[in-house]
Amino acid sequence: MLALLTSKQYSVGMNRASTEKRAQIINCLVEGNSIRATVRLTGAAKNTVTKLLVDLGRACTEYQDKVFRNLNCKRIQCDEIWSFCYAKDKNVPEEMRNQPGVGSVWTWTALDPDTKLIPCWFVSSRDAGAANHFMHDLAGRLAHRVQLTTDGHKPYLTAVEDAFGADIDYAMLVKIYGAERAGEARYSPAQCMGARKATITGSPDRAHISTSHTERQNLSMRMGMRRFTRLTNAFSKKVENHEHMVALYFMHYNFCRIHQTLRVTPAMEAGIADHVWGLEEIVNLLNKQ
């Protein structure tokens, strides 16, 4: 018979966990499992899994921030995806209202539709300040003029102008929706009645005014991160852990996951990596801090 270890014994053992064991934990997290499910699947203590997520999330953020520079992207699509931390807006205690990272949290993402690379993201609110920060971050990573497409979110207008000036071909894809559904379908999106392509700056190619790729990536995020699933109790309790999970997810997406249409990883297609990364290589980022 196998002897059952106490949670304390597990914790002590996982403090000296092998690279293979850490890779197993990472694999569970990036495949959409919650922390508790990861604990059950790997036998690691909850605190050990959380600490690994925090430490590795920081390492993934620092590494991608460093290597995603002077990118030769031709087109970029941007979007925002909703989630919440601690509690939904209506359930946030009065004394915690308007506190950053409590209630609705939005993840801003940029995607290169040619290489499928996610060069930057930002976890914050959905206001003008967040849009400005996100666009300045994106502008600092690009090597030359690009064509940019966003949805009709108004803060983009000022943010893009402030970050890029006239050195961009920018268009908005404004979708027109019908009346909101009622009853059992109230959680489904309203029917899209059409879309309007609006040129904002420069001369964007109308054939490539689209947000389809980044919207599909939003679905992948909801499928790949338990914290993003709707209508469940699977949400982040702390926005810091939410940010770490997003960084780990994009590290795996950019460097480890072979894209079906490319047959290589986005990082390889973009010329940033020369091979498919293994999970052990992500773990080894901890040694480079």
Side-chain angles (χ1 to χ4, degrees):
M1 295 179 62
L2 294 175
L4 296 178
L5 299 180
T6 66
S7 60
K8 181 178 181 180
Q9 288 173 311
Y10 264 135
S11 180
V12 172
M14 286 303 297
N15 284 337
R16 298 187 297 271
S18 65
T19 299
E20 291 76 15
K21 190 66 175 182
R22 290 177 177 178
Q24 183 185 14
I25 293 172
I26 295 168
N27 186 56
C28 289
L29 292 174
V30 298
E31 289 298 335
N33 291 287
S34 66
I35 286 182
R36 293 182 186 275
T38 300
V39 168
R40 293 192 295 270
L41 289 168
T42 64
K46 181 182 176 183
N47 288 344
T48 300
V49 175
T50 303
K51 187 177 186 304
L52 178 61
L53 171 62
V54 170
D55 293 342
L56 198 53
R58 290 196 185 105
C60 291
T61 298
E62 293 174 4
Y63 182 80
Q64 291 175 97
D65 180 59
K66 180 178 66 175
V67 300
F68 292 159
R69 299 290 175 180
N70 296 317
L71 300 174
N72 292 312
C73 303
K74 297 178 180 178
R75 296 181 288 138
I76 293 289
Q77 298 178 10
C78 293
D79 200 13
E80 325 84 51
I81 179 172
W82 174 85
S83 58
F84 69 95
C85 290
Y86 188 79
K88 289 186 176 179
D89 289 340
K90 64 179 181 179
N91 297 324
V92 175
E94 188 65 33
E95 64 274 12
M96 300 183 70
R97 292 188 182 277
N98 300 319
Q99 181 176 321
V102 177
S104 292
V105 172
W106 293 83
T107 303
W108 303 69
T109 59
L111 180 141
D112 178 350
D114 297 312
T115 65
K116 305 301 187 290
L117 186 77
I118 303 287
C120 69
W121 62 91
F122 183 47
V123 178
S124 185
S125 57
R126 199 171 179 245
D127 57 17
N132 192 60
H133 175 95
F134 177 63
M135 279 298 150
H136 275 276
D137 185 25
L138 175 62
R141 300 179 185 280
L142 302 175
H144 49 71
R145 186 184 184 112
V146 300
Q147 174 168 329
L148 173 68
T149 305
T150 70
D151 58 22
H153 190 40
K154 290 184 179 179
Y156 278 121
L157 293 170
T158 303
V160 171
E161 181 180 5
D162 190 56
F164 292 93
D167 190 25
I168 194 168
D169 298 310
Y170 173 41
M172 275 185 165
L173 184 70
V174 183
K175 293 187 176 180
I176 304 168
Y177 292 96
E180 293 186 1
R181 302 183 184 186
E184 295 182 0
R186 64 187 183 278
Y187 293 112
S188 301
Q191 182 179 1
C192 183
M193 310 299 291
R196 178 172 60 88
K197 297 180 179 181
T199 297
I200 307 299
T201 304
S203 302
D205 183 347
R206 292 185 64 83
H208 293 298
I209 298 176
S210 172
T211 57
S212 297
H213 293 89
T214 187
E215 289 173 0
R216 178 59 182 82
Q217 168 58 25
N218 282 353
L219 174 60
S220 295
M221 290 176 66
R222 290 207 185 279
M223 298 287 286
M225 283 183 279
R226 181 65 171 154
R227 299 162 189 266
F228 280 81
T229 53
R230 293 178 178 271
L231 303 180
T232 71
N233 62 353
F235 59 93
S236 296
K237 312 307 184 289
K238 298 179 181 179
V239 70
E240 294 83 5
N241 289 352
H242 190 80
E243 292 172 336
H244 296 318
M245 185 63 235
V246 171
L248 176 59
Y249 169 83
F250 282 133
M251 187 74 202
H252 179 264
Y253 167 84
N254 284 324
F255 288 87
C256 299
R257 184 179 298 173
I258 297 177
H259 198 279
Q260 186 175 3
T261 60
L262 300 176
R263 298 189 179 182
V264 292
T265 66
M268 293 174 66
E269 186 71 8
I272 298 169
D274 58 6
H275 66 285
V276 178
W277 279 44
L279 294 175
E280 292 80 6
E281 289 182 86
I282 293 182
V283 173
N284 288 335
L285 291 177
L286 292 171
N287 301 325
K288 298 179 181 180
Q289 286 187 301

